[in-house]
Amino acid sequence: MVGFKATDVPPTATVKFLGAGTAACIADLITFPLDTAKVRLQIQGESQGSFRSAAGAQYRGVLGTILTMVRTEGPRSLYSGLVAGLQRQMSFASVRIGLYDSVKQFYTKGSERTSPNVARNAIVNCAELVTYDIIKDTILKAHLMTDDLPCHFLSAFGAGFCTTVIASPVDVVKTRYMNSALGQYSSAGHCALTMLRKEGPQAFYKGFMPSFLRLGSWNVVMFVTYEQLKRALMAACTSREAPF
């Protein structure tokens, strides 16, 4: 068994919320430069127009973008907006992840057939949570691994890839729209249609590799940390409540 051993007592809501928020903040601290690089690559050349050639691109690849930012703007530029990001993760992620776990247990309790319905209803808003759950459950049911750190790592990595495939088009449109000049697009839908007409379907997956590196690493750090924090906190609570 790698990592903390699973306890027989299910984690409380407080443990889930606290563990999820803390794990998400740790993941953000580690992967924030990748997110900054991803955004820079996605909006690159937008202000100059679509005619700009690749030869005149300021950033080239994830590593090149990070090195260019450090050289021209300093290392602190990689963590621009970190405080707001951590505040968002501590509030939003704790509710999103902690609540999902509790709701899933509520709906699936006593009926295995309810799980696919929960997954289908939740896939749009929490792809990473659902895919992580599906991959992990599949691995455990097939007895390929035990419920410990390697299983959590593989499940989180797979969830990161699936989430990138699902979320990348929306992420690219959102980034383009929010960083466009005033009046350039009338709506996010107009932005998407303009991208499709001028650049083709491949435009929706611009910066896919940076997005995958960001989401893949974020999911691995977050889910592995979350699983271990849940077990550590429950072990601490159990040992404190145990009679001498």
Side-chain angles (χ1 to χ4, degrees):
M1 173 71 71
V2 181
F4 288 97
K5 184 179 179 181
T7 60
D8 295 329
V9 182
T12 63
T14 302
V15 168
K16 292 175 185 176
F17 279 65
L18 181 61
T22 304
C25 286
I26 293 172
D28 235 32
L29 277 170
I30 295 173
T31 64
F32 204 83
L34 292 174
D35 189 52
T36 305
K38 178 206 71 173
V39 173
R40 291 290 183 99
L41 285 168
Q42 286 179 341
I43 64 174
Q44 179 173 250
E46 179 70 10
S47 59
Q48 282 84 0
S50 59
F51 60 85
R52 184 176 182 179
S53 65
Q58 182 181 0
Y59 304 116
R60 293 179 180 275
V62 182
L63 182 59
T65 301
I66 292 175
L67 291 176
T68 299
M69 290 180 64
V70 170
R71 186 174 65 252
T72 59
E73 303 173 47
R76 295 182 63 179
S77 63
L78 298 175
Y79 285 92
S80 177
L82 176 64
V83 175
L86 293 178
Q87 290 174 343
R88 176 182 179 274
Q89 293 296 352
M90 197 64 202
S91 57
F92 177 66
S94 60
V95 174
R96 178 172 63 103
I97 300 168
L99 192 60
Y100 169 81
D101 209 7
S102 299
V103 171
K104 183 196 72 174
Q105 288 181 358
F106 174 78
Y107 277 108
T108 57
K109 188 176 181 180
S111 177
E112 289 291 328
R113 290 177 294 180
T114 314
S115 185
N117 291 326
V118 175
R120 283 196 297 270
N121 292 332
I123 193 71
V124 174
N125 295 313
C126 51
E128 61 188 7
L129 299 174
V130 176
T131 49
Y132 174 80
D133 222 29
I134 291 173
I135 295 171
K136 180 182 171 184
D137 286 347
T138 301
I139 291 173
L140 294 178
K141 287 178 180 177
H143 303 290
L144 299 175
M145 292 180 177
T146 55
D147 189 7
D148 53 14
L149 200 147
C151 175
H152 304 157
F153 181 95
L154 183 61
S155 301
F157 189 81
F161 177 79
C162 294
T163 304
T164 306
V165 172
I166 295 169
S168 188
V170 178
D171 189 40
V172 173
V173 171
K174 180 203 72 174
T175 304
R176 285 280 191 96
Y177 181 64
M178 291 181 65
N179 290 275
S180 62
L182 186 64
Q184 183 175 358
Y185 303 115
S186 59
S187 64
H190 178 225
C191 177
L193 288 174
T194 302
M195 288 174 58
L196 180 63
R197 187 174 66 253
K198 291 185 176 180
E199 304 173 53
Q202 66 272 18
F204 295 103
Y205 285 94
K206 183 178 181 180
F208 179 85
M209 188 53 66
S211 295
F212 173 58
L213 289 175
R214 153 68 171 172
L215 272 176
S217 57
W218 192 93
N219 272 273
V220 167
V221 176
M222 198 283 297
F223 279 114
V224 169
T225 306
Y226 175 52
E227 296 276 11
Q228 294 302 305
L229 276 175
K230 276 198 305 183
R231 296 180 178 189
L233 289 170
M234 284 308 299
C237 291
T238 304
S239 62
R240 188 178 61 182
E241 293 173 1
F244 291 101

